[in-house]
Amino acid sequence: MEQPHSASASPEYAALLRAGDRLLVALDFDGTLAPIVENPDVALIHPEAPEVLAGLSAQVRAVAVVTGRPARQVLALGGLDDVGDAIGESGRELVVLGQYGNERWSSNARRVVSPKPPAGLASLIGDLPRLLRRADAAEAWIEEKGLAVAVHTRRMADPRGAFERLLPVLTDAAKTRNLTLEPGRMVIEIRSSGMDKGVALRRLVEEYDAQGVLFVGDDLGDVPAFEAVAALRREGMPTLLVCSGSDEESTLRDLADLVVAGPDGVMEFLRRLTADLARD
């Protein structure tokens, strides 16, 4: 059930407000700041997001976008260079962590820092056409990301069936190459091991000496971040977990403190949070 206003009555939300300008706000991109669409190349950021993020940044320690997409792609789709300019005016910083934390861009440094592609990825990409045929999913769309590869089934006639046929085939292929497989909403991504959104979020908390954390996500790739935030809560840190709800994915609903109605609900919640922080 979507609960856009119930957070204000919860002890977790009240504790988050007390963190004030020591609060780190981190958000996923697809399904959270931008709607899920058939063609991810045109998944533009919610039209209200630039203004909302800039307004929120004035009240918190930092704002971060933590995404599975390449950082440069998110910068373009989100117009985040301009958002970074606006956030800089408040003396705060916008950080974009792309490819699950392997890439970093900030509104202060203005360049993407990225490692080399993982060993085994090139051979996997070369083998993908055969693997897709083996799973009767030859029409799946392959998206090469530089540090990862994603196989999308959303455009297929039976996207769920193709996804379920591909998952075990690609799991085996990733395992033999010591790569990590990340299932999502009609997409399977394969990337390097050792980094996920939970690791990335922990590093941000330490970097900014945050005394409170809000994370907003929508998909299975956000589970490690949810788990990291839950661990921080057990350590005594004020935290709040928000799920941008959809009909396609329900895992995060059971882990979240609050469920909102997609990117529209995220914008509504962030506006409410900004107003409440300003009052406190």
Side-chain angles (χ1 to χ4, degrees), residues 8-247:
S8 58
S10 72
E12 291 84 7
Y13 186 78
L16 206 69
L17 294 181
R18 290 193 293 272
D21 62 4
R22 304 295 295 277
L23 175 63
L24 170 68
V25 177
L27 311 100
D28 182 30
F29 187 78
D30 290 283
T32 301
L33 289 175
I36 296 293
V37 294
E38 286 194 6
N39 182 357
D41 290 339
V42 296
L44 300 177
I45 199 169
H46 192 286
E48 297 177 13
E51 177 189 352
V52 169
L53 294 178
L56 175 62
S57 71
Q59 306 298 327
V60 301
R61 175 58 57 93
V63 176
V65 177
V66 187
T67 175
R69 283 183 183 264
R72 289 184 179 84
Q73 194 176 66
V74 170
L75 287 168
L77 291 171
L80 296 182
D81 267 307
D82 292 337
V83 176
D85 288 339
I87 288 177
E89 292 177 3
S90 66
R92 302 299 198 270
E93 187 173 27
L94 173 66
V95 178
V96 176
L97 299 184
Q99 305 218 36
Y100 297 90
N102 281 305
E103 295 181 329
R104 180 190 173 99
W105 175 94
S106 75
S107 55
N108 289 344
R110 296 286 172 162
R111 65 188 183 93
V112 174
V113 178
S114 177
K116 295 180 180 179
L121 183 63
S123 71
L124 174 70
I125 292 172
D127 204 22
L128 273 179
R130 180 186 67 82
L131 295 173
L132 266 56
R133 290 193 299 271
R134 175 180 160 192
D136 192 23
E139 296 178 359
W141 176 45
I142 299 172
E143 179 189 8
E144 295 186 31
K145 296 185 172 185
L147 302 181
V149 62
V151 179
H152 298 261
T153 64
R154 183 175 296 277
R155 301 179 190 176
M156 300 181 67
D158 178 17
R160 173 60 64 181
F163 178 91
E164 292 176 352
R165 292 192 303 274
L166 276 169
L167 190 56
V169 173
L170 296 184
T171 297
D172 289 343
K175 186 176 181 180
T176 61
R177 294 169 172 85
N178 196 31
L179 298 170
T180 292
L181 182 140
E182 193 84 57
R185 291 161 65 174
M186 301 303 115
V187 60
I188 300 168
E189 183 158 328
I190 301 172
R191 55 186 174 80
S192 60
S193 301
M195 176 59 74
D196 59 36
K197 291 187 180 184
V199 174
L201 191 60
R202 278 276 195 175
R203 291 180 179 177
L204 285 175
V205 169
E206 294 175 4
E207 176 183 352
Y208 289 99
D209 191 24
Q211 299 301 306
V213 180
L214 165 67
F215 186 82
V216 190
D218 76 305
D219 203 354
L220 293 172
D222 298 313
V223 170
F226 269 53
E227 292 174 342
V229 172
L232 289 168
R233 180 179 299 177
R234 291 192 295 271
E235 295 167 14
M237 181 176 289
T239 65
L240 192 73
L241 288 165
V242 178
C243 171
S244 177
S246 75
D247 294 332

